[in-house]
Amino acid sequence: MVMTSEFISTLQRVENVSHLLSKMGESTVDEAVQRIESICAFMERYGDLGEIFEHFKELESKLFMCREMLTVEEAAEYIGVSKSQIYLMTSNREITHFKPRGKFIYIERKELDDVLRRNVIYSKHEMNRRAAAETMADLSKGNRKAKKGTGK
C-alpha cells in the first residue's frame, strides 16, 4: 500500500513536470533543467519566499532612481541625507529645483549627481597628472612668447 501511494505521488510529480514543460514552449529538456537549476540557485540565495518578496519590494522602492526628476524624499535617499537637509539646500538655493504647482519640490537627478561630485579630493596620481599637464601648458605658453619676442 505504501509503495502504491509513493508510485502515484511520483506519477503525479512527473505529470506536473510534463505540464510545466509543455507551458515552457518548444524548450528542450536541457533548457528546462537549466531554468529549474537557476530557480533553485535563486531560492538557495534568498531562502524562503518571504525573503524573495522583501528583496523585490526593496528593488521596487529603488526604481525611482531611474527617473530624471525626484521628489524631496527620493532625493534625500538618493544622496544619503535627510529630507530636512534637502529642504535646507533648496531654501539656500544650493541646488536647482522646480515647483511646478507651487508646493511640491522636484529635483533633477543630474543636479544631485553634481552635489555628490562637489569638494573633490584628488588622488596623488591624479594630482601628479594634473601638475604635469599644467607644466606642459605653461612651457607651451612660454615657447610661444619667446618666439613672438624674437620676431619669428
Side-chain angles (χ1 to χ4, degrees):
M1 197 68 148
V2 173
M3 289 188 85
T4 306
S5 65
E6 285 179 28
F7 179 72
I8 292 172
S9 173
T10 303
L11 278 178
Q12 205 167 20
R13 283 186 290 199
V14 168
E15 188 175 308
N16 290 342
V17 169
S18 173
H19 180 68
L20 179 65
L21 289 174
S22 70
K23 285 188 169 222
M24 293 174 73
E26 306 240 345
S27 301
T28 66
V29 173
D30 290 336
E31 289 173 341
V33 168
Q34 287 176 342
R35 288 182 183 180
I36 291 168
E37 286 175 349
S38 67
I39 290 170
C40 288
F42 186 82
M43 293 293 288
E44 286 177 16
R45 180 176 173 198
Y46 291 102
D48 65 2
L49 287 176
E51 289 182 41
I52 293 171
F53 286 128
E54 286 302 315
H55 176 70
F56 282 131
K57 281 183 187 176
E58 184 179 328
L59 288 176
E60 188 177 48
S61 72
K62 303 284 187 210
L63 282 176
F64 70 83
M65 292 186 189
C66 297
R67 292 198 328 255
E68 289 186 37
M69 299 293 283
L70 304 177
T71 64
V72 170
E73 293 81 13
E74 293 166 344
E77 186 174 348
Y78 185 74
I79 64 171
V81 298
S82 66
K83 289 191 317 184
S84 60
Q85 185 66 36
I86 296 292
Y87 282 120
L88 184 63
M89 293 169 81
T90 58
S91 68
N92 290 338
R93 295 184 181 218
E94 293 175 31
I95 56 175
T96 302
H97 57 284
F98 304 87
K99 286 180 147 185
R101 293 184 189 100
K103 183 175 180 181
F104 294 106
I105 296 173
Y106 295 93
I107 303 164
E108 285 184 308
R109 189 169 31 97
K110 66 181 182 178
E111 177 77 17
L112 297 169
D113 290 338
D114 291 343
V115 168
L116 293 174
R117 288 185 177 91
R118 290 181 188 162
N119 298 327
V120 64
I121 301 169
Y122 294 111
S123 67
K124 290 179 184 178
H125 175 73
E126 179 64 14
M127 287 175 28
N128 290 336
R129 189 191 70 74
R130 286 174 173 264
E134 195 171 310
T135 301
M136 293 300 289
D138 288 346
L139 288 174
S140 176
K141 286 179 189 175
N143 286 339
R144 277 188 247 141
K145 285 182 182 178
K147 286 181 182 178
K148 284 183 181 178
T150 60
K152 292 184 182 179

